Amino acid sequence: DTGVSQDPRHKITKRGQNVTFRCDPISEHNRLYWYRQTLGQGPEFLTYFQNEAQLEKSRLLSDRFSAERPKGSFSTLEIQRTEQGDSAMYLCASSSDRGSGNTIYFGEGSWLTVV
Amino acid sequence: QKEVEQDPGPLSVPEGAIVSLNCTYSNSAFQYFMWYRQYSRKGPELLMYTYSSGNKEDGRFTAQVDKSSKYISLFIRDSQPSDSATYLCAMNKAAGNKLTFGGGTRVLVKP
C-alpha cells in the first residue's frame, strides 16, 4: 500500500496559465476527495467522487476548476486561467466504502504558487 | 461563523507534559469525529477516529467526544518534541462524506 500519491508536489505558474494536478488514490479505494488548504487554515472541501461519478462539488469550485476521475482510478484537478488567489496546497484524499467506510487518508499535497 | 472552531495556538508545552486540544462545532448532524496531525508542508495524517459520544484511547492519544456540548478533545500524554505539529479536528455527517475541518492548533513541545 503506497498511500495517496499526488503530482506534481510543487508548481509555480504565471497568472492566467492553466495547471493540472494528478492524484492516485490508495489501491481499491473507490472514494476520492479534493481539498484546498491555505496557510494557517484547515483544509476546505472542493469535490468528491465515488468511483467515476462526481457526487458533490463545493461552491468554492468555480467554473475555472474542473475535476475528473476517468475509469474510477486516478483523478485530475485542472485550474484554468489561474489567479493569485488560487495559490494554496491542493490535497487529495481517498477512502473505501468497505468496513467502517470512514477512514480517509490524505496525500502529501500539491503546492501551487501563482505569480 | 465557522461550523468548526479551533484555537490556532501556538500551544507550547515542555517535553513530557500532557497536551490538551479541543474543538467546538455548531452542527448537531456531525456523527463522526477525527483528529489529524499535520507537519509543515505535509499532508494531514489520521491519528484518531471516533463515532458519536465517548472516549477512545490509542497509545499516548485519547480522544473524547461530547455531542451534548458539541465539544471534542484530544489529549497527548508524555509529549515528545516530535509531537510538534498542527493538529486538525475534522468531522462528517455520514461515513465517507466530506470532512469539515477546524482551522488547526499549532503545538510546540520544547525539550
Side-chain angles (χ1 to χ4, degrees):
Chain A
D1 187 345
T2 56
V4 179
S5 178
Q6 293 190 243
D7 184 71
R9 292 292 318 282
H10 303 275
K11 178 73 176 178
I12 300 174
T13 191
K14 291 183 179 180
R15 189 174 53 186
Q17 297 294 306
N18 299 344
V19 296
T20 299
F21 299 111
R22 175 179 170 127
C23 172
D24 288 272
I26 292 172
S27 179
E28 298 182 355
H29 276 193
N30 58 338
R31 295 175 178 150
L32 188 146
Y33 314 79
W34 285 100
Y35 288 80
R36 180 172 70 187
Q37 186 177 24
T38 53
L39 283 175
Q41 303 296 317
E44 294 176 293
F45 171 78
L46 292 178
T47 191
Y48 156 58
F49 290 85
Q50 175 135 345
N51 301 312
E52 65 273 14
Q54 189 172 18
L55 296 186
E56 188 172 356
K57 293 170 60 174
S58 163
R59 288 172 295 176
L60 292 175
L61 212 66
S62 76
D63 56 5
R64 295 186 298 106
F65 288 69
S66 63
E68 296 182 344
R69 192 182 183 198
K71 301 179 183 178
S73 55
F74 71 93
S75 175
T76 57
L77 177 69
E78 181 183 18
I79 308 173
Q80 297 182 329
R81 306 181 302 280
T82 52
E83 301 172 356
Q84 287 189 320
D86 297 331
S87 296
M89 180 164 67
Y90 290 85
L91 288 161
C92 179
S94 72
S95 71
S96 171
D97 62 1
R98 297 178 185 175
S100 71
N102 211 22
T103 307
I104 300 172
Y105 297 96
F106 283 81
E108 294 286 42
S110 292
W111 282 95
L112 173 65
T113 302
V114 181
V115 297
Chain B
Q1 188 177 0
K2 293 183 178 181
E3 277 191 290
V4 181
E5 297 280 357
Q6 194 174 0
D7 189 319
L11 177 62
S12 183
V13 300
E15 183 176 355
I18 295 174
V19 176
S20 176
L21 303 164
N22 58 75
C23 287
T24 58
Y25 63 96
S26 57
N27 193 333
S28 58
F30 288 129
Q31 299 287 335
Y32 300 86
F33 305 91
M34 299 94 176
W35 286 95
Y36 285 84
R37 177 175 63 195
Q38 186 173 31
Y39 293 112
S40 181
R41 302 186 72 84
K42 298 287 188 180
E45 172 193 6
L46 181 64
L47 286 177
M48 297 289 285
Y49 164 68
T50 53
Y51 169 66
S52 196
S53 287
N55 294 359
K56 184 175 182 179
E57 188 173 319
D58 184 1
R60 296 185 297 116
F61 299 94
T62 299
Q64 292 182 348
V65 174
D66 182 350
K67 289 190 68 183
S68 63
S69 301
K70 297 190 183 68
Y71 186 91
I72 68 171
S73 302
L74 178 72
F75 301 96
I76 307 173
R77 290 182 298 281
D78 188 25
S79 58
Q80 304 295 311
S82 59
D83 294 325
S84 297
T86 295
Y87 290 80
L88 297 157
C89 63
M91 48 200 76
N92 61 7
K93 300 172 186 175
N97 277 20
K98 66 182 180 185
L99 293 173
T100 301
F101 282 86
T105 299
R106 187 171 164 228
V107 172
L108 300 172
V109 181
K110 296 185 176 180

